[in-house]
Amino acid sequence: MDTDKVIPIWEVRQPEGVHRGPVELTLDQCIKCNICTTACPVSPVTDLFPGPKYEGPQAGRFRQQKQPSPDYSVDYCSGCRVCNMVCPTGVRIAEINARARAQMVETGKFNGRTRLRNNLLARPETLGKLARPVAPLANTLLNVKVGRWLAEKTLGIAQKASLPRFSGETFSSWVKKRERKARSEERGAGRKVVYFHGCSTQYYEPRVGKAAVQLLEANGFEVIVPPQNCCGLPLLSNGEFAAARKYHASNIRHLIGYVQAGYVIVGTSTSCTLTLKEEAPELLDYYDDEARLLAANTYDFNEFLLGLWDSGELKTEGLRPIPLRLVYHPPCQYRAHRIGRPAVELLELIPELQIIESQVACCGVAGTYGYKREKYQIAMDVGRPLFDLVKESGGPLAVCDSETCRWQISHATGLPSVHPIELLAAAYGLAVEGPLADVMRET
Amino acid sequence: MNLQGDVLVIGAGLAGLTAAWQVAARGGRVRLIAKGWGALYWHAGCIDVLGYYPPLGEAAVSSPAEAVAALIQERPDHPYARVGVAGLDEALRALQALCAQQGYPLHGSLERNWLLPTAVGALRPTCLAPETMIAGDASQPLPTLIVGMKQLLDFYPTLIADNLSRQGIPAEGVALDLPSLRECNFINAALLAKRLEQPQFRAEVVAALRPYRGRAERIGFPAVLGMEQAVAVKAALEKELGRPVFEIPGLPPSVPGMRLHGILTRVIGEKGGRVYDGMQVVRAEEARGRVTAVYSEAAARTRPHRFNRYLLATGGILGGGTATDSTGRVREVIFDLPLAAPNDRGEWFKRDFLDAAGHPIYQAGVRVDGSWRPVNGDGQPVYENVYAAGAMLAHCEVIRERSLEGVALATGYRVAQMLAG
């Protein structure tokens, strides 16, 4: 084979020019075959959402700039993107729906209370900054029954939905503490990579970031964790495009210098990386040179590791066996990267680990969707086949790349959920924390 | 550089899925990638082998074995001539064995075509049909009741019944108005199929239908009798109605096609193969007469797939494997392989829409060598390691011959045998 031409995944590349053009134009490619309608996980469980074909390419014909949106049901699109994946003619239905929702926000179709609720749910960074210093108190308050009842009545945040717990320590404070002992440089071997942690790792599950940093170092990378923002996806999926644009601009400011200096960006949150790669540029028409350069050099964590494997650079010797049988669910946002199932291919490297692959379209929660009073039950019904699969598997935990999906699975099944790279870190013999550490101790 | 596997199949129609299944079943490391779900979701769920031969013939083929043998004699370049009747038969039997094992038997053989009613009440010759459809066979003119549901807007029972009656099959049509469907804003075939798996909904259907049974000796439904449990749903309805029951496939989304898609993708996974959707191949890389990688479109970049061999099963004009441009050029979309096709727009179509000789553009396809590798004008393979199967092959007219599934299945099966062998 020709090995000489292949650029290693950790080298910065120029954008490939796969800019796909305005999403609305793709509606002309719809041939009304209804494949999306049968694949949509939302429309079979609720009559409030008639399905992707009606909402996207059909209603799209009646949506004009500065004109009122023809319907409200588009807000019941969860944005899971399953329709895009199965469409044989390339209609970008989910994006058409997201832009329609933004138009509703812009034209005042949501009342103040709904927008307040949506903005609260869609700003994990603000919440994290406020709550983290008083994490135990915040955790208690968020789970007080009366408070939750009140939050549902006044704001429309589903009382039954389980809110994630703030971590006592942020991920970045762990990084700082660690750097005082030894620079990451001394642990890695000189090649550098930037880690994008996202809000969930920063405020709720630092353990995922710790596993990521150690895995990268074990493969010879110095890991840089620069200041960064929320990727803005929750705002995008709530139609709050103006606020999302600010976040994206800020992330470009924070990160572009590193890319220009030759470092790629790697993230463990699949929806954050998808947002930097595609969602923000596409939904916001944000296609300047810097946005495109950042997109072209942002990788999902498993995608990056698999890229190392492709070029024979991933450390695979001496992996420790993990004798467990676990359900792995690829999040819908992950499939939307259109890179296959890299997590499964990596987990296959771990001796004795048996993976049951979920074929379920979506866990239901779709970011903030399942936390809303009017959508909570829909989200639970969408995810039911997945919850059944996890429960029937008899495994001690579930595996999933996306944080809100993990929380949804745990909420519905009562079982803990971990990121696939936590398993890989354990197989590398690195220290892991949380539910996986508990399970590993028992086995 | 690590290779990702032995065989990359491009395209998720019947040819691609069959090939991936067979490579995986024979121990090969295979990945199938496709732009979307495609062909089988539009599919009637039957296997047409040869419905009309010669294509201008008035009468439907009654014995595919005899007609295929005649076709092979007269058209030595046809894909069937390359696989032979025995090869075709082997592929059909393999698919039948797989479907039977999955509890969804396909009945029939090369000896005789079924003649099954379509969604407009025409009669359609087909070689293999699922157990849920065969009671509709028109070779016996039994009195027939066709049942629809008012809320399912894609199925017209009286149209079907009227047309069947004109062809000598006494038939009546009725559209049930079911209270539980009246509450729904939206109904489609896939939703109904799930509902019919629930006993209480079936009971509602049966109760509404009983008064209309009359003299009917069989009852035809739209093809919505269950998704995963179709045979059981059909048996339950027959027991409760006291008549044989059959399905008529209709507009997409087509439930019988989805069942086949499910069976094939499941078995590929069980045998260790992978099926990825949402991956449109946009370019290929070559060196010294071999393809070294193909790239599929992904978020913010293209993604390489490096395999030993590449099987193209992207279909013809309808499937998207070949396309035309405004100058009249017909091209194969991934490797730009040479095509047997008219490159003058004026020659694409005959004057008459229903011209007996067919439109030349629909015969566009790739020519292959003895190893199923696309060839150039001199008959030499374009690449050492690129192969083709299914409706993209030249020298067949799968729509007019009613041979689409037979060609896809037999060539996908044969190429896979060779690649895995």
Side-chain angles (χ1 to χ4, degrees):
Chain A
M1 297 300 298
D2 292 303
T3 54
D4 42 341
K5 279 195 302 193
V6 178
I7 312 168
I9 193 156
W10 42 271
E11 271 187 25
V12 163
R13 285 149 219 253
Q14 288 309 304
E16 283 188 54
V18 284
H19 172 28
R20 303 193 293 173
V23 294
E24 283 81 4
L25 281 187
T26 64
L27 66 81
D28 275 342
Q29 293 161 20
C30 177
I31 56 168
K32 315 294 176 211
C33 72
N34 271 308
I35 286 180
C36 60
T37 311
T38 57
C40 174
V42 174
S43 61
V45 303
T46 174
D47 233 19
L48 296 169
F49 186 66
K53 183 188 72 160
Y54 303 94
E55 295 293 357
Q58 287 183 192
R61 297 201 174 278
F62 299 93
R63 293 186 189 112
Q64 302 292 330
Q65 282 292 317
K66 311 286 174 203
Q67 294 290 310
S69 167
D71 60 23
Y72 289 87
S73 55
V74 73
D75 188 42
Y76 280 85
C77 170
S78 76
C80 72
R81 269 164 200 74
V82 169
C83 45
N84 291 20
M85 298 297 289
V86 301
C87 176
T89 60
V91 184
R92 300 212 296 280
I93 309 164
E95 286 79 8
I96 293 174
N97 291 351
R99 301 242 283 216
R101 186 188 283 113
Q103 202 180 327
M104 287 173 67
V105 169
E106 209 178 306
T107 52
K109 296 294 185 231
F110 292 109
N111 63 33
R113 200 169 67 165
T114 304
R115 280 193 67 189
L116 174 63
R117 187 264 319 260
N118 291 356
N119 269 284
L120 271 176
L121 290 174
R123 291 172 191 267
E125 184 178 300
T126 313
L127 286 182
K129 278 184 182 157
L130 288 173
R132 212 277 316 152
V134 288
L137 177 67
N139 287 332
T140 313
L141 284 178
L142 286 177
N143 287 297
V144 171
K145 254 195 168 163
V146 183
R148 293 300 304 273
W149 178 83
L150 211 63
E152 170 155 328
K153 291 295 166 220
T154 57
L155 288 166
I157 296 173
Q159 187 185 352
K160 284 197 229 159
S162 128
L163 297 170
R165 298 180 66 80
F166 291 104
S167 159
E169 176 193 40
T170 62
F171 170 70
S172 51
S173 63
W174 174 80
V175 171
K176 276 195 201 110
K177 227 183 280 169
R178 193 162 172 264
E179 278 184 353
R180 276 200 291 271
K181 288 187 206 146
R183 299 262 322 270
S184 179
E185 183 186 326
E186 293 150 28
R187 299 189 175 92
R191 290 181 303 187
K192 291 180 192 175
V193 67
V194 171
Y195 175 57
F196 191 86
H197 48 65
C199 301
S200 67
T201 297
Q202 173 73 337
Y203 298 110
Y204 300 107
E205 297 178 330
R207 62 168 211 262
V208 175
K210 297 179 192 176
V213 168
Q214 295 181 77
L215 270 173
L216 289 168
E217 287 173 351
N219 279 290
F221 288 90
E222 178 190 340
V223 184
I224 306 166
V225 186
Q228 51 190 276
N229 285 114
C230 171
C231 68
L233 176 67
L235 289 163
L236 285 172
S237 54
N238 279 286
E240 301 285 347
F241 280 16
R245 177 175 282 274
K246 284 186 196 149
Y247 275 127
H248 193 55
S250 172
N251 271 325
I252 293 174
R253 260 198 320 277
H254 284 313
L255 301 172
I256 197 68
Y258 292 96
V259 180
Q260 284 159 346
Y263 315 135
V264 301
I265 318 284
V266 180
T268 38
S269 170
T270 56
S271 2
C272 300
T273 48
L274 185 66
T275 304
L276 297 180
K277 278 181 179 184
E278 183 171 88
E279 287 296 292
E282 192 160 280
L283 290 177
L284 303 169
D285 277 328
Y286 203 140
Y287 284 116
D288 64 22
D289 289 349
E290 291 186 344
R292 293 179 64 223
L293 185 65
L294 178 65
N297 290 286
T298 299
Y299 293 89
D300 159 65
F301 202 89
N302 300 318
E303 179 188 22
F304 183 78
L305 293 188
L306 205 59
L308 290 181
W309 184 86
D310 280 346
S311 53
E313 294 173 281
L314 182 72
K315 182 187 151 202
T316 56
E317 321 81 51
L319 293 193
R320 300 184 186 181
I322 301 181
L324 293 174
R325 188 167 174 272
L326 304 171
V327 170
Y328 166 71
H329 175 68
C332 50
Q333 281 276 335
Y334 199 13
R335 295 179 211 188
H337 284 250
R338 310 186 290 288
I339 52 177
R341 296 186 168 199
V344 179
E345 291 173 46
L346 285 173
L347 293 177
E348 279 172 355
L349 298 171
I350 302 177
E352 295 181 39
L353 178 65
Q354 274 184 352
I355 290 296
I356 307 161
E357 276 185 70
S358 146
Q359 305 291 338
V360 179
C362 177
C363 75
V365 78
T368 58
Y369 188 91
Y371 290 96
K372 299 173 181 174
R373 177 178 53 193
E374 72 280 13
K375 296 178 179 113
Y376 171 80
Q377 195 53 48
I378 297 172
M380 293 300 282
D381 291 343
V382 165
R384 180 153 303 131
L386 172 63
F387 311 146
D388 291 344
L389 179 71
V390 170
K391 282 188 264 184
E392 283 159 19
S393 76
L397 44 80
V399 187
C400 182
D401 313 78
S402 177
E403 52 279 356
T404 51
C405 311
R406 284 198 293 275
W407 302 335
Q408 168 87 338
I409 294 168
S410 295
H411 168 58
T413 64
L415 289 167
S417 311
V418 300
H419 194 291
I421 64 155
E422 295 182 67
L423 286 160
L424 198 62
Y428 267 59
L430 301 166
V432 291
E433 296 175 11
L436 182 60
D438 299 341
V439 168
M440 299 286 287
R441 261 195 301 279
E442 283 161 31
T443 46
Chain B
M1 206 66 223
N2 279 320
L3 277 184
Q4 294 158 346
D6 303 323
V7 180
L8 182 77
V9 178
I10 308 168
L14 190 58
L17 288 168
T18 300
W21 158 46
Q22 282 302 310
V23 171
R26 289 156 203 266
R29 282 165 67 212
V30 65
R31 176 187 294 173
L32 182 152
I33 59 176
K35 186 175 176 184
W37 276 353
L40 281 177
Y41 272 67
W42 304 335
H43 192 269
C46 301
I47 306 298
D48 293 0
V49 166
L50 194 57
Y52 290 89
Y53 191 77
L56 353 164
E58 284 288 305
V61 164
S62 72
S63 161
E66 283 172 22
V68 170
L71 174 146
I72 288 173
Q73 281 286 313
E74 288 157 31
R75 298 176 55 185
D77 288 331
H78 194 284
Y80 279 157
R82 294 169 178 277
V83 293
V85 177
L88 172 62
D89 193 41
E90 186 186 339
L92 292 168
R93 286 175 195 271
L95 182 66
Q96 282 181 293
L98 171 69
C99 290
Q101 193 193 338
Q102 304 266 337
Y104 184 65
L106 300 180
H107 295 281
S109 75
L110 280 176
E111 294 312 308
R112 189 180 82 89
N113 265 336
W114 301 99
L115 209 52
L116 301 179
T118 70
V120 291
L123 296 175
R124 178 175 62 100
T126 190
C127 182
L128 303 184
E131 185 153 319
T132 54
M133 291 186 196
I134 53 178
D137 188 39
S139 57
Q140 304 220 10
L142 302 172
T144 303
L145 176 66
I146 306 292
V147 183
M149 291 153 207
K150 281 219 165 86
Q151 290 78 10
L152 179 64
L153 303 177
D154 294 343
F155 192 81
Y156 307 96
T158 45
L159 171 74
I160 297 169
D162 289 353
N163 279 335
L164 287 177
S165 298
R166 276 180 212 178
Q167 297 168 90
I169 298 159
E172 285 183 40
V174 58
L176 305 177
D177 185 10
L178 301 170
S180 71
L181 295 186
R182 263 183 249 148
E183 294 161 15
C184 302
N185 287 330
F186 306 97
I187 285 295
N188 66 33
L191 290 178
L192 268 181
K194 295 265 185 212
R195 285 207 175 213
L196 270 151
E197 288 176 353
Q198 302 163 358
Q200 66 274 34
F201 182 71
R202 275 206 306 274
E204 189 185 343
V205 172
V206 168
L209 185 51
R210 271 213 184 93
Y212 296 100
R213 282 178 304 178
R215 296 182 305 111
E217 290 181 37
R218 59 184 170 189
I219 303 177
F221 284 86
V224 297
L225 304 186
M227 190 64 81
E228 302 289 332
Q229 308 156 31
V231 170
V233 170
K234 171 192 173 263
L237 283 173
E238 287 182 333
K239 195 170 159 223
E240 289 151 23
L241 290 164
R243 308 278 197 282
V245 157
F246 64 96
E247 292 185 303
I248 301 173
L251 290 173
S254 174
V255 171
M258 291 160 75
R259 294 179 195 137
L260 279 186
H261 182 268
I263 288 172
L264 284 163
T265 48
R266 240 184 341 261
V267 71
I268 293 168
E270 282 164 13
K271 305 280 181 197
R274 307 215 141 263
V275 178
Y276 292 145
D277 50 33
M279 283 191 175
Q280 183 183 3
V281 175
V282 288
R283 66 189 167 94
E285 215 168 63
E286 57 175 294
R288 294 181 291 278
R290 289 174 65 85
V291 167
T292 51
V294 303
Y295 288 77
S296 65
E297 186 272 346
R301 63 182 61 97
T302 55
R303 176 179 165 75
H305 304 263
R306 295 177 210 283
F307 285 72
N308 259 328
R309 288 174 288 184
Y310 302 84
L311 171 56
L312 202 53
T314 45
I317 291 276
L318 291 174
T322 55
T324 57
D325 64 26
S326 57
T327 70
R329 200 172 88 87
V330 188
R331 60 190 181 88
E332 185 279 312
V333 298
I334 295 176
F335 300 102
D336 202 12
L337 298 168
L339 291 178
N343 266 330
D344 174 354
R345 279 177 73 103
E347 289 172 24
W348 285 359
F349 299 105
K350 293 279 168 59
R351 263 188 81 80
D352 294 331
F353 183 64
L354 296 174
D355 192 292
H359 300 294
I361 189 70
Y362 293 116
Q363 296 159 35
V366 296
R367 297 189 194 89
V368 290
D369 71 357
S371 303
W372 302 90
R373 290 178 297 190
V375 294
N376 58 25
D378 304 329
Q380 295 304 307
V382 181
Y383 298 107
E384 251 177 71
N385 58 343
V386 172
Y387 305 80
M392 72 173 341
L393 296 170
H395 311 299
C396 56
E397 289 175 75
V398 291
I399 302 292
R400 290 204 319 137
E401 294 165 357
R402 310 294 203 279
S403 65
L404 180 64
E405 295 84 25
V407 167
L409 180 70
T411 58
Y413 188 89
R414 170 57 62 85
V415 179
Q417 258 181 335
M418 191 190 70
L419 294 180

